[in-house]
Amino acid sequence: MDERLAADLVAVLDKRRVRVESLELALYARDASVIEGRAGVVVFPNSTDEVQAVVRVARAHGVPIVPRGSGTGLAGGSVPLDGAVVIVTTHMDRILEIDEEERVAWVQPGVLNLDLSRAVAHLGLHFAPDPSSQQSCTIGGNVANNSGGPHCLAYGVTSAHVLAVEVVLPDGSLTMLGGLDPDPPGYDLRGAFVGSEGTMGIATRIAVRLTPLPPAVRTMLADFPTVEGAAAAVSGIIAAGILPAALEMMDAEITRAVEAYVHAGFPTDAAAVLLVEVDGLPDGVDAATVQIDEVCRDHGARHVRVAADLAERALLWKGRKSAFGAIARIAPNYYLHDAVVPRTRLVEVLTKVYEIAERHSLVMMNVFHAGDGNLHPLIVFDRRVEGVMERVHAAGTEIIEACVAAGGVLSGEHGIGLEKRDFMHLIFSPDDLDAQARLREAFDPNGTCNPQKVLPAGARCGDLQRIPEGAWI
Amino acid sequence: MDLNGDDLSGDGLSGDDPVVAVGGCTQFTPPAGVRQVRAPAGIVAYEPAEMTVRVRAGTVVAELAEALAAHGQMAALDPAVPDAATVGGVLAAGESGLRRLRYGPVRDTLLEARFVSAEGRMVKAGGPVVKNVSGFDLCRLLVGSRGTLGVLAEVVVRLQPRPAVSRWLMGAADPFAVRRRLYRPSSVLWDGEITWVLLEGHPSDVSAEASALGRGFVDAVGPPPRPPHRWSMRPSALPALAASASAGLDGAFVAEVGVGTVHRDRPQPVRPVDPLHERVRALFDPGRRFAAA
């Protein structure tokens, strides 16, 4: 540990908010993934000024910085490497302003996702992105990861709900990206910053769009004897011209685990269940409910249950959102994957994913955002078993390759971080990666902000003289 | 030389002479004396159950809309002149449509872009699926970049189901109260006196919402004609604009209530930007090949 660095940080914050104890350093050396790094110092600024001061001190010492919210990330995006300064934003947790007429809220980055929706519920509004970790993840973290969630199917991911971001750039200067007017001048640097996984600066104030709560909502649970039938029903619903608010699938293993955990009446003998929600004006919602019921039965659903009231609806969602709590009863560790495939290839990819798990003798469950093709294969294991981690990683690599082979992408909501950085070449050419590296270089020319994340080494310094297979299309 | 037609060999942007990317030229007049580059046209792949379409950037918006409508779908591309504007042109101009209040800005519609860089390389941004956080979001950066970072060649855009019913109404009413009363109307327009509302969705929901507007509203054939220039203003600034317009201090306008786009008879003054924008441009186009259309 660099004592002069810590002393300089104490000078701009205070002793309590600059932590160098081994317990703290160990705690902040990891996120919710299985990846572990090494933190040099952990700091907890209270204000934009303090974030700027910390960034400048770290810069003066030539030490990289790593922004961090609640640490619920699953791809190692906020894992510090090589003794970086971890800047934790959880103390910056105030909702600064709520404008009911403009439907905009200004928040500090440490505000928890669900806390914002709770704070504006009495106005008939909510913050639409709803990742499963919404009780504990921060809005700053949502911005960094362009977070999704079940209801992003109809409402769009975080990027669609962020209007402006005040950012401390890696050189310590302050800038505002985006704005409250519809088309701020210049490039959409707001859009470029959202999802940049902490590599382009630290958000210190965020203006988010608030969305009206729908006047009518129906939540349905459809029970299928085959995974293929459930997946075909997903395509059938989309093809019928319905864009549900959410369209989730759970396979047999996870359904049984969840039912044992929450007792919501999930069918324990189903091969797969679909949780479908439609919302909007009442007659359109009723019509869509009838249509979805028909599509599900046409694809072999044994039963379609419509939640009778708010309590039943809440219970069904509790089942979906507590899936990861439920599996803790099965095995001590899990590895949650995240990839997206074209919706019409779901059946084919799922079949491959199960084969991969079987070949590696691993227990695999699937609970995912079927409506947008966002798979979340979940491998449960006990890491004390010798050799299991090798099998978990080998299976993970094969799952990614299968998704890419089907025309998919590496991540739908967890991000690239460290976990998938070295898979980026599977979907991007050297020229593609070079363009992304140029964007990052504009924000962070010295590469001191969350270095080594997202882009593989050498992305920017590819051989520019190389002539690619340069067809127009 | 155009990049249109059968010759897609990639030679069109070799060399280092200045070029300007043009679409239908409905929003901008290209600078004189600069070589114009056009993207090819045509739908490459369309699978309705995917609710996405892969299309060459030079495709005219109205032609794409017709192909999608045959399957009950639409793209949230609503340019002022759909018979001339191209898909790539609308994206490069960042021209959101009148239904932005409901369907969001045009920037959210782009999933994947293939563009030709200043060095003449074909570069891919994003991916063909509806949800994707694999790498930095160059698609957002490209929308509204006016051809200064690269020339859009082919894109994948997100689609929506077409609403069963679309109905324009007009009446003399407070547009802000109208917007508060309705659940997610597709458009609320206001010229300082008259309010236009676009309701879309299930027929009986649309009827109920139309009734809720009150007897002051009658059916309209469509939106009002708009002055040619688009201003970007905070939605909360609209009442003050109307007050100065009615006092004769400002010309005619049509404002998109809840959005802040205001259609006016003169262009919005140039607004300053952070030097960061110039750094981005310099890294993508160090030799300043791309003239802004």
Side-chain angles (χ1 to χ4, degrees):
Chain A
M1 195 262 298
D2 185 338
E3 285 178 15
R4 281 180 31 226
L5 169 62
D8 286 353
L9 289 167
V10 168
V12 296
L13 298 184
D14 61 56
K15 208 166 163 26
R16 279 182 312 111
R17 295 184 292 125
V18 177
R19 310 310 294 254
V20 292
E21 300 84 347
S22 54
L23 175 63
E24 256 93 352
L25 295 186
L27 199 58
Y28 289 90
R30 46 181 314 182
D31 60 6
S33 71
V34 296
I35 301 165
E36 196 165 335
R38 185 173 68 83
V41 187
V42 183
V43 298
F44 297 84
N46 285 337
S47 66
T48 299
D49 287 349
E50 288 188 352
V51 172
Q52 284 186 277
V54 166
V55 170
R56 286 182 174 135
V57 168
R59 188 178 171 80
H61 283 265
V63 177
I65 54 172
V66 176
R68 178 187 173 104
S70 297
T72 57
L74 288 155
S78 62
V79 170
L81 299 168
D82 310 327
V85 175
V86 179
I87 303 176
V88 186
T89 60
T90 50
H91 285 202
M92 298 172 70
D93 61 353
R94 279 183 304 134
I95 297 173
L96 302 168
E97 189 187 327
I98 294 167
D99 186 332
E100 183 185 359
E101 181 69 25
E102 266 196 72
R103 295 178 186 165
V104 171
W106 279 100
V107 301
Q108 289 188 313
V111 171
L112 300 187
N113 174 298
L114 194 57
D115 284 353
L116 177 59
S117 282
R118 285 189 176 134
V120 298
H122 70 286
L123 302 171
L125 300 170
H126 74 298
F127 180 54
D130 60 341
S132 292
S133 57
Q134 71 182 133
Q135 297 193 27
S136 47
C137 64
T138 64
I139 292 175
N142 296 163
V143 168
N145 291 288
N146 195 9
S147 300
H151 289 82
C152 290
L153 178 58
Y155 289 93
V157 291
T158 297
S159 179
H161 302 276
V162 170
L163 300 173
V165 194
E166 178 191 78
V167 175
V168 174
L169 292 171
D171 67 0
S173 66
L174 193 65
T175 191
M176 183 67 79
L177 310 177
L180 299 189
D181 61 311
D183 295 304
Y187 300 118
D188 183 12
L189 298 184
R190 169 213 65 87
F193 182 84
V194 175
S196 62
E197 302 194 35
T199 65
M200 297 184 191
I202 302 179
T204 47
R205 276 196 306 149
I206 304 155
V208 298
R209 180 189 303 290
L210 301 173
T211 303
L213 291 165
V217 183
R218 291 276 183 290
T219 308
M220 284 161 268
L221 188 72
D223 154 359
F224 289 85
T226 64
V227 171
E228 290 76 12
V234 171
S235 290
I237 290 168
I238 302 288
I242 305 166
L243 190 60
L247 177 43
E248 304 281 302
M249 195 196 289
M250 293 161 65
D251 71 7
E253 295 270 8
I254 199 83
T255 303
R256 280 197 285 273
V258 162
E259 179 56 22
Y261 188 62
V262 300
H263 310 293
F266 283 88
T268 50
D269 60 342
V273 299
L274 290 182
L275 185 63
V276 194
E277 187 159 282
V278 284
D279 68 14
L281 291 163
D283 292 336
V285 165
D286 285 343
T289 305
V290 170
Q291 256 184 304
I292 289 167
D293 182 281
E294 280 169 11
V295 171
C296 288
R297 288 177 198 277
D298 286 350
H299 288 91
R302 297 183 300 187
H303 187 67
V304 181
R305 163 180 161 199
V306 181
D309 53 25
L310 202 64
E312 189 177 356
R313 190 185 143 214
L315 193 58
L316 291 178
W317 276 111
K318 188 181 171 198
R320 164 63 183 90
K321 294 209 171 187
S322 58
F324 304 121
I327 56 106
R329 297 156 58 105
I330 297 170
N333 304 101
Y334 67 80
Y335 197 117
L336 178 62
H337 282 276
D338 167 46
V340 189
V341 298
R343 311 184 237 232
T344 49
R345 317 261 321 246
L346 270 178
V347 176
E348 166 199 340
V349 175
L350 269 176
T351 307
K352 276 200 186 125
V353 163
Y354 286 117
E355 280 169 15
I356 291 166
E358 199 173 324
R359 193 154 8 92
H360 291 279
S361 311
L362 291 165
V363 177
M364 152 96 63
M365 305 182 177
N366 275 286
V367 43
F368 61 99
H369 313 306
D372 34 35
N374 190 180
L375 290 172
H376 283 316
L378 177 73
I379 299 170
V380 295
F381 60 96
D382 182 343
R383 70 189 307 163
R384 292 167 300 188
V385 174
E386 201 183 320
V388 74
M389 284 315 292
E390 286 74 17
R391 284 187 282 133
V392 167
H393 285 300
T397 300
E398 288 175 34
I399 289 169
I400 292 168
E401 286 166 351
C403 291
V404 169
V409 297
L410 302 177
S411 174
E413 42 190 27
H414 296 173
I416 299 299
L418 289 167
E419 183 201 23
K420 290 181 175 157
R421 181 190 66 188
D422 296 332
F423 293 111
M424 287 283 276
H425 68 275
L426 291 179
I427 58 168
F428 292 118
S429 74
D431 286 325
D432 304 341
L433 293 171
D434 177 71
Q436 294 187 35
R438 291 185 201 209
L439 172 62
R440 175 160 194 265
E441 188 176 329
F443 279 84
D444 184 19
N446 299 319
T448 55
C449 197
N450 211 6
Q452 304 179 53
K453 307 290 171 66
V454 185
L455 297 179
R460 180 67 179 98
C461 30
D463 180 3
L464 290 176
Q465 300 311 308
R466 193 180 60 86
I467 305 298
E469 297 164 32
W472 239 94
I473 298 299
Chain B
M1 167 188 158
D2 282 0
L3 294 171
N4 210 344
D6 297 329
D7 177 21
L8 305 178
S9 62
D11 292 340
L13 278 177
S14 61
D16 55 8
D17 60 323
V19 293
V20 59
V22 297
C25 296
T26 64
Q27 294 294 306
F28 300 99
T29 306
V34 180
R35 182 164 68 96
Q36 298 188 358
V37 188
R38 284 169 205 281
I43 293 171
V44 179
Y46 174 36
E47 196 162 351
E50 226 31 92
M51 245 194 243
T52 60
V53 66
R54 180 181 292 276
V55 61
R56 287 177 175 160
T59 309
V60 171
V61 171
E63 289 170 13
L64 174 63
E66 196 183 319
L68 302 176
H71 294 272
Q73 296 184 346
M74 61 181 191
L77 300 170
D78 272 334
V81 193
D83 294 338
T86 63
V87 172
V90 173
L91 292 168
E95 186 195 354
S96 293
L98 286 183
R99 299 187 296 172
R100 176 172 179 164
L101 188 61
R102 170 71 172 267
Y103 296 104
V106 70
R107 66 183 182 227
D108 291 342
T109 211
L110 182 61
L111 301 173
E112 178 186 308
R114 288 172 192 264
F115 65 96
V116 183
S117 71
E119 290 95 357
R121 305 283 174 75
M122 182 61 72
V123 178
K124 182 183 77 173
V129 292
V130 292
K131 198 172 179 192
N132 183 7
V133 292
S134 311
F136 300 135
D137 197 352
L138 292 179
C139 284
R140 257 28 71 202
L141 189 67
L142 289 166
V143 176
S145 65
R146 302 186 179 198
T148 59
L149 303 178
V151 179
L152 290 174
E154 182 180 296
V155 296
V156 178
V157 297
R158 177 195 302 281
L159 304 178
Q160 305 263 357
R162 278 171 76 87
V165 171
S166 291
R167 185 170 165 194
W168 280 98
L169 296 110
M170 59 188 285
D174 174 3
F176 307 101
V178 164
R179 190 208 169 201
R180 276 194 298 270
R181 190 180 314 142
L182 301 173
Y183 174 71
R184 302 185 76 190
S186 291
S187 191
V188 178
L189 305 178
W190 185 50
D191 69 358
E193 291 175 9
I194 306 291
T195 297
W196 286 261
V197 180
L198 175 61
L199 301 177
E200 293 187 308
H202 189 272
S204 54
D205 286 330
V206 169
S207 296
E209 293 248 281
S211 307
L213 284 171
R215 259 181 274 163
F217 276 81
V218 296
D219 280 291
V221 290
R226 274 95 58 209
H229 297 286
R230 300 162 64 86
W231 288 46
S232 177
M233 303 175 71
R234 276 189 67 164
S236 58
L238 298 182
L241 172 69
S244 79
S246 69
L249 301 172
D250 252 313
F253 70 90
V254 174
E256 298 179 23
V257 174
V259 173
T261 302
V262 184
H263 304 264
R264 306 181 72 171
D265 53 14
R266 61 183 191 284
Q268 185 167 24
V270 173
R271 294 168 289 167
V273 296
D274 190 285
L276 186 54
H277 293 258
E278 189 46 50
R279 290 214 295 277
V280 171
R281 183 174 187 179
L283 281 160
F284 278 82
D285 181 16
R288 281 272 181 167
R289 277 195 88 188
F290 295 132

